[in-house]
Amino acid sequence: MGKLSELAQALMELNEFKFLELVDEKLKKKEDPLEIIKECNAGMVEVGNLFSENKYFISELMFSAELFKEAMKKLEPFLGNSKTKEQSGEIVIIGTVEGDIHDIGKNIAANLIEGSGYRVIDLGVDVPAEKFVEELKKTGAKVLGLSAMLNFVFPEMKNVVDSIAEAGLREQVKIIIGGAPCNEQVRKFCGADYYAKDASAGVTICQEIYSSE
Ligand code: B12
């Protein structure tokens, strides 16, 4: 394990008071909220590792998620919010695929994309393929973001891409995948168009897609 920042360490140790105080301090010092999120991410990875090593259990995973969500409440107002593109109808649909209920990363991506001016339709977690298809039909959105945190839902991500193709909508939409275990190989396996390594990469990809029209 590389050297963790104080903030990441506090989150890893589930030290609620210290963690939230450090977030407040960093915001007061006008540190970049995206950098703060990155540090939190590093802490969450360590929580995941402790869980893999059977040193933490589901209750600790859940508590770490609560802490992250508390921090996000503080960070959200600083993530920028220009609603200019909302009227122009540039829509991004996003959701965590069926079988997976992790939503922290998906929510951050949704927030950042919305903050960059797109209209985000967040379908939530454990979203069946049909729901994505239905929403794409209804809105005509040109971008779909799929989130997955579990290796065993990769086939489900592929199923979403295949269902979109079967519904005749594959030409209409560019599909981005994201979530910690995803990579280029997973993207190829699913037949998606882009892999976003983090939420800001997701924003850049949305901009690429919508500006290349
Ligand atoms: C918190 C947590 C939980 C919480 C989730 C709470 C919640 N509301 O999300 C709870 C307790 C519910 C949970 C449950 C489980 N979990 Co869990 N969990 C985690 C943990 C510790 C942190 C995840 C997290 O929030 N990270 C922080 C966020 C910010 O990072 P992120 O999601 O990667 O998102 C960033 C990018 O990836 C990107 N991104 C994400 N999605 C998208 C989408 C798009 C479109 C874009 C553009 C970008 C993008 O943007 C974010 C910011 O940059 C991870 C550990 C880890 N290493 O990640 C394990 C982990 C993911 N969980 C794991 C497991 C095994 C489980 C359970 C199966 C445990 C069990 N036995 O029951 C269950 C599964 C439940 C289910 N069906 O989904 C494993 C998965 C192993 C694998 N790869 O298959 C991990 C890796 C832990 C481990 N090391 O074993 N978990």
Side-chain angles (χ1 to χ4, degrees), residues 34 37-38 40-53 57-66 68-69 72 92-97 99-110 112-113 125-126 144-154 176-182 195-203 205-206:
L34 287 181
I37 290 177
K38 272 191 193 153
C40 292
N41 251 333
M44 293 301 264
V45 169
E46 292 310 323
V47 170
N49 291 343
L50 288 165
F51 174 73
S52 301
E53 293 161 14
F57 301 96
I58 293 286
S59 52
E60 277 91 359
L61 281 191
M62 284 169 74
F63 190 54
S64 71
E66 287 308 312
F68 203 136
K69 287 188 173 179
M72 279 312 296
V92 178
I93 294 174
I94 194 165
T96 303
V97 299
D100 193 335
I101 61 162
H102 293 86
D103 69 354
I104 297 176
K106 186 263 299 161
N107 292 346
I108 293 175
L112 274 196
I113 294 169
V125 298
D126 196 18
L144 169 67
L146 298 177
S147 184
M149 292 296 283
L150 301 166
N151 296 340
F152 54 81
V153 299
F154 293 160
I176 313 174
I177 64 161
C182 296
Y195 154 64
K197 73 169 190 340
D198 56 27
S200 0
V203 172
I205 296 168
C206 290

